[in-house]
Amino acid sequence: MWEYTDKVKKYFTEPVNVGEIPDADGVGEVGSLACGDALKLTFKLDEQGRIADAKFQTFGCASAIASSSALTEMVKGMTLEEAEKLTNKDIAEFLGGLPKEKMHCSVMGEEALQAAIRNYKGLEPLPSAEGEVVCQCFGVTDKEIEKVALNNDLHTVEEITNFTKAGGGCGDCQEKIQEILDRLWNTAPQQPVEVTPPAAKKKKLTNIQKMKLIEETLEREVRPALKADGGDIELIDIDGDKVMVSLRGRCSSCAASQATLGQFVQSKLREFVSEDLEVEEVKP
Amino acid sequence: MDNNATTQAAPEVVAAMLPFFGEYYGNPSSMHNFGGQVGAKVDAARVQVAQLLGASPEEIVFTSCGTESDNTALNSALASQPGKRHIVTTRVEHPAVLNTCQNLAAQGYEVTFLKVDRQGNLDLEAVAEAIREDTALVSVMWANNETGVIFPVPEIAEICAAKGVLFHTDAVQAVGKVPIDLAGSAISMLALSGHKLHAPKGIGVLYIRKGTPFVPFIKGGHQEHGRRAGTENVPYIIGMGKAAELARVRMDEENSKVKALRDRLEAGLLEIEATMVNGDPDRRLPNTSSVSFEYVEGESILLHLSSLGICASSGSACTSGSLEPSHVLRAMGVPFTAAHGSIRFSLSVYNTEADVDHVLEHMPGIIERLRAMSPFWATYQKTACKTPGYVEP
């Protein structure tokens, strides 16, 4: 079991600001079910442009819930300019520290806040897409690694994994992360790298973006139609471009289930996510 | 409720061990009577273990733990057959075998990791097909530590024997819960761990069938008939022997009691919406239940349980420092929605109905509370299929 501070325990067991502001001015969503943690942050501004209210919904561990709840407390009363400067370090410090393996929870808080502010400003979401994807498992780019390394004075691959999850899956990218760190600390300017909005041109999806988009497409485009026929579908796994699903209810015994998977499910996923996706059925 | 992690040492076991810390402290390898009397007690413990396993005493080697037994079996199989460089195992093994195999693969050996199906079962034909001319060993666990799913180990051993290949089983979770008759089987090597069956931590056993080629892993003195060097851990060996005797005598009675408790717990937990049990319902250890509460994360559940004095474990990534959820649940194709929110309850004979009631009283509230703050729960409630004919996965 992890050693959590009393403040982390308090914000986990008695979280404040749980929920969603229905007419929010800014909405930020980061993470995904596939990755094991996700945070939806909403805020409302007052007439002076300060954050009057902030609420969160979190799927994740104790430190993810505590970081999210703490974040909503911290930003209340801030102007957007002040909130933009808030970093994961501030969240972790507010909580009296987090186990080093859990620092990515504080980074998720920072990213959700940045995403919500971008949303308020009408800017494109997913600033993390900028740069070259280094960690395929968790969709982390070189720019993100550089930024988190500089902002938190990180020098080892293990530290990068603790803060971003990069390198914590298959581990294939660890050598590349080390190269980035070597380059960064030998030649890079000693100041935080600003993340700029993604270029207008279409970028390749990161794994996380792809997973999220697949989940969203199934929820929005596929499930309602199947449910109308008394069936349903469940996402089982995503392995590269293979999307494994199980049909439920009437769909599972339907004679035309293969047609449903190929002509409907797969074509929807190809339309909304990627032309390269292949749908495979997993029998329960 | 976390007895697949470790068990309470039985009072009878502790009582049997105590004299060997004091009065009977002799070295069993000594030639004098003071040591010799201890040696006789070690041999008696060997008989007790052999009886539990349906083996001969000379086939029993005491080790320090299950992991050492597993490592010894894998390394011995390769060292004793230098021309063979292939191992067959499964994707759902305990890290004692899985990580060792991955390490061997990194050293240039070839390893086939067999898949399991949605219920955690192996395909026997796939086992047979995976065996090659250069296969040194097939290693398949007897019962899975996370789901409790029981593999058809005697049948797999027969397949291996027919092809002339050594077969090892990590039986750490099975011994004391599943009847085992090694004499009537074709199993070459079997590993067990004392602290999983009410002996203390720090004692394990490796069964080595007579005639099995063997190279010691720990080399040195002539202890354990030259198969495992190092002065014997006498008090723990005595404890192991007593635990084996208790398990043999009480197995049926304990299993039926524990199973009744487990089934009651499971039935109560399944009343919580969007909850599922992982693993084959019919081929499962009587004490183990891997339950997934969808749309919430396991560590959060565990912490709430812990604050109520309830110990369980989780296949969630966040409990371990690993960033991906249980390799067992992932290998079974358990959906993301469920893999992250899995909790393993593993009961023992020392659990009571009051323990089960305590969990059932609090779990619905914990899950409800966590789901209320999950961004995915509201979506699920809007879209979940509740039409007739819906089959829970």
Side-chain angles (χ1 to χ4, degrees), chain A residues 213-222 268-269 272-273:
Chain A
L213 213 45
I214 289 168
E215 287 172 351
E216 284 170 8
T217 304
L218 288 176
E219 289 299 329
R220 189 183 64 239
E221 302 291 332
V222 177
K268 284 288 178 194
L269 289 175
F272 288 98
V273 185

Side-chain angles (χ1 to χ4, degrees), chain A residues 185-209:
Chain A
W185 293 112
N186 285 334
T187 59
Q190 302 295 301
Q191 59 186 19
V193 173
E194 290 298 324
V195 173
T196 51
K201 66 177 181 177
K202 194 177 175 186
K203 285 186 173 291
K204 195 181 169 206
L205 291 169
T206 68
N207 271 11
I208 287 183
Q209 289 167 346

